[in-house]
């Protein structure tokens, strides 16, 4: 579970340059827009502890997932420079997900299993990063980039719903 949300948000990295090409962003601005998105993701990451004071884990995680789904849906429909705002928002959600997930694992995993739990989570991120973008890249190649974004939105909704249901059995979300 702790690897699903970050890896689904991180899948956007593989589709950012094709989207920038789709909207006609000059190549010289690719790096600038990426740097701005990563910088704002870092700011979101630093603010995670503040959010945790005002919202429960469940509210934060649902907010991150809702933001991810919204961004993928909007990228599926918006083919203009305005779409970069959704890329930036998604990177901010990704930046927020790591400290929140790590904090949850640190609180829930017993001390003697904590490093193993974090290591397995990181391994799952790598697995999802090998499969999810590849499969949706095939969708983009066969149909369109917008269709792949809508597919990612649907996949994120289903996968995160299943994860929340499974986790709620052992953890009071």
């Amino acid at each position: 579970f702790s690897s699903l949300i970050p890896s689904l948000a991180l899948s956007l990295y593989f589709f950012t340059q094709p989207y920038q090409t789709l909207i006609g962003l000059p190549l010289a601005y690719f790096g600038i827009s990426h740097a701005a998105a990563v910088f704002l993701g870092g700011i979101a990451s630093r603010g995670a502890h503040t959010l945790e004071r005002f919202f429960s884990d469940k509210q934060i995680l649902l907010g991150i997932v809702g933001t991810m789904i919204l961004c993928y849906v909007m990228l599926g429909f918006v083919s203009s420079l305005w779409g970069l705002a959704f890329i930036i928002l998604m990177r901010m959600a990704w930046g927020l997900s790591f400290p929140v997930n790590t904090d949850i694992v640190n609180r829930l995993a017993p001390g003697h299993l904590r490093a193993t739990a974090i290591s397995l989570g990181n391994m799952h991120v790598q697995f999802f990063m090998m499969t999810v973008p590849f499969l949706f890249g095939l969708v983009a190649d066969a149909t369109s980039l917008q269709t792949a974004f809508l597919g990612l939105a649907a996949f994120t909704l289903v996968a995160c719903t299943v994860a929340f249901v499974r986790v709620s059995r052992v953890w009071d979300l």
Side-chain angles (χ1 to χ4, degrees), residues 104-142:
I104 291 169
V105 170
N106 282 332
R107 279 189 278 121
L108 294 179
H112 67 284
L113 295 176
R114 192 168 296 138
T116 303
I118 291 172
S119 179
L120 285 172
N122 289 335
M123 201 167 61
H124 283 112
V125 168
Q126 298 306 315
F127 172 75
F128 286 125
M129 290 306 300
M130 289 186 316
T131 55
V132 173
F134 172 74
L135 295 174
F136 285 99
L138 293 175
V139 171
D141 288 343

Side-chain angles (χ1 to χ4, degrees), residues 27-66:
L27 184 61
Y29 295 115
F30 279 31
I32 293 169
S33 67
H34 179 74
V38 170
F39 178 75
L40 291 171
I43 289 174
S45 180
R46 287 191 52 111
H49 68 282
T50 303
L51 277 179
E52 289 177 323
R53 281 191 261 156
F54 298 105
F55 300 101
S56 70
D57 295 337
K58 179 181 180 179
Q59 291 169 323
I60 294 171
L61 292 176
L62 288 174
I64 291 169
V65 170

Side-chain angles (χ1 to χ4, degrees), residues 1 5 8 35 46 53 56 81 91 108 128 134 167 170:
F1 173 71
I5 293 172
L8 288 174
R46 287 191 52 111
R53 281 191 261 156
S56 70
L81 288 175
R91 300 274 170 87
L108 294 179
F128 286 125
F134 172 74
V167 168
V170 295

Side-chain angles (χ1 to χ4, degrees), residues 2-118:
S2 67
S3 58
L4 183 64
I5 293 172
S7 61
L8 288 174
L10 194 58
S11 295
L12 180 65
Y13 277 99
F14 291 94
F15 297 103
T16 299
Q17 286 186 355
Y19 186 80
Q20 291 170 325
T21 302
L22 175 74
I23 64 172
L25 185 70
L27 184 61
Y29 295 115
F30 279 31
I32 293 169
S33 67
H34 179 74
V38 170
F39 178 75
L40 291 171
I43 289 174
S45 180
R46 287 191 52 111
H49 68 282
T50 303
L51 277 179
E52 289 177 323
R53 281 191 261 156
F54 298 105
F55 300 101
S56 70
D57 295 337
K58 179 181 180 179
Q59 291 169 323
I60 294 171
L61 292 176
L62 288 174
I64 291 169
V65 170
T67 300
M68 290 167 43
I69 293 168
L70 171 72
C71 289
Y72 279 137
V73 168
M74 293 308 294
L75 289 169
F77 289 111
V78 176
S79 297
S80 68
L81 288 175
W82 289 107
L84 292 177
F86 296 106
I87 289 174
I88 290 171
L89 187 59
M90 177 73 94
R91 300 274 170 87
M92 291 175 76
W94 172 75
L96 184 62
S97 70
F98 274 102
V100 170
N101 281 327
T102 302
D103 184 48
I104 291 169
V105 170
N106 282 332
R107 279 189 278 121
L108 294 179
H112 67 284
L113 295 176
R114 192 168 296 138
T116 303
I118 291 172

